[in-house]
Amino acid sequence: MVTKISRSTQIYWALVVLLSVLTGVNVFLPQVSFLPAVPQGTPPKLVIALANGIATLIIYGGLGFIGLKLSFLLAIPTLWDSRVSHRQRFVIPALAGIILGAFFIVADLMFQQFHDLGAFSHPSFPTSVVVSINAAIGEEIIFRLFLIPFGAWLISKILLKGVAKTNIFWFVSTISAVTFALAHLPAVMLMFNLQAIHEIPIALMIEIILLNGIVSFLAAYYFKSFGFLAAVSLHFWTDVVWHIIWGVF
């Protein structure tokens, strides 16, 4: 007997395949200037692209699928939930993302006045498009689709036996937001050629935590309310304004 795969599951794996393909494609695109040069004797780019794509498919696909199953148990809307309209799933998060991206620009210009490292670097076009899609899918898979349902399930279902589900969700979302912000520190250190975390100016650290925290909590809200695609939409359109449009200037 053949089990019918739900439309939500089909869409999920389509996103994972897209993420894997673009991860491989990204190897051939111009990289941001602060990344270290590729050392001599490394494998050909095609080999690196295939390895990155396969690793992404297995790791991100596997963790996200676990989160997908656990999110069902937590009554989070599925990717194509009939109770969620396209306006809720795509339009509203997109508008919020555009506004959030504009806020990122204004906030960065303000925080630059309090340290002497300069502005954030952005990937050049068209790399910025690929990076934005990858971040919207990949980071949301890890920090929202996997980490939040897994943490909420672990605490609520196993430790507290289903008590205080909403409070636990936001507690885990806070952990996800902090982890998401800290995950950006290595890239920031490379960008500004810093050797240790304590060399990051306080103003820049506040900016990193503030901006990544805001996008994390909003993504968690849309994930809980309208499903994973809403979180992806918010993240993508934030990066369109922040990385693609602002990056050009």
Side-chain angles (χ1 to χ4, degrees), residues 211-227:
L211 298 187
N212 286 292
I214 292 174
V215 73
S216 293
F217 279 111
L218 279 176
Y221 167 77
Y222 283 115
F223 173 49
K224 185 177 188 296
S225 302
F226 308 129

Side-chain angles (χ1 to χ4, degrees), residues 29 43 78 94 116 127 158 175 177 185 198 206 216 234 238 243:
L29 297 176
T78 63
D116 57 1
T127 307
I158 302 301
I175 296 176
L185 293 183
H198 66 79
I206 293 174
S216 293
L234 170 85
T238 301
H243 284 310

Side-chain angles (χ1 to χ4, degrees), residues 68-121:
L68 193 67
K69 293 300 182 181
L70 292 176
S71 67
F72 296 159
L73 300 178
L74 296 171
I76 293 174
T78 63
L79 273 73
W80 210 252
D81 200 303
S82 59
R83 298 168 297 176
V84 178
S85 68
H86 292 331
R87 180 172 176 270
Q88 293 171 319
R89 185 179 292 120
F90 297 117
V91 179
I92 295 176
L95 292 175
I98 291 171
I99 295 172
L100 186 57
F103 172 76
F104 273 34
I105 296 171
V106 174
D108 186 47
L109 291 173
M110 292 177 57
F111 276 104
Q112 286 177 42
Q113 310 305 312
F114 299 97
H115 64 81
D116 57 1
L117 295 180
F120 280 106
S121 296

Side-chain angles (χ1 to χ4, degrees), residues 172-189:
V172 177
S173 295
T174 302
I175 296 176
S176 171
V178 173
T179 306
F180 182 65
L182 295 178
H184 286 79
L185 293 183
V188 171
M189 292 172 63

Side-chain angles (χ1 to χ4, degrees), residues 226-248:
F226 308 129
F228 179 65
L229 287 180
V232 172
S233 180
L234 170 85
H235 197 145
F236 173 69
W237 285 102
T238 301
D239 280 2
V240 165
V241 176
W242 172 235
H243 284 310
I244 299 177
I245 297 177
W246 184 240
V248 172

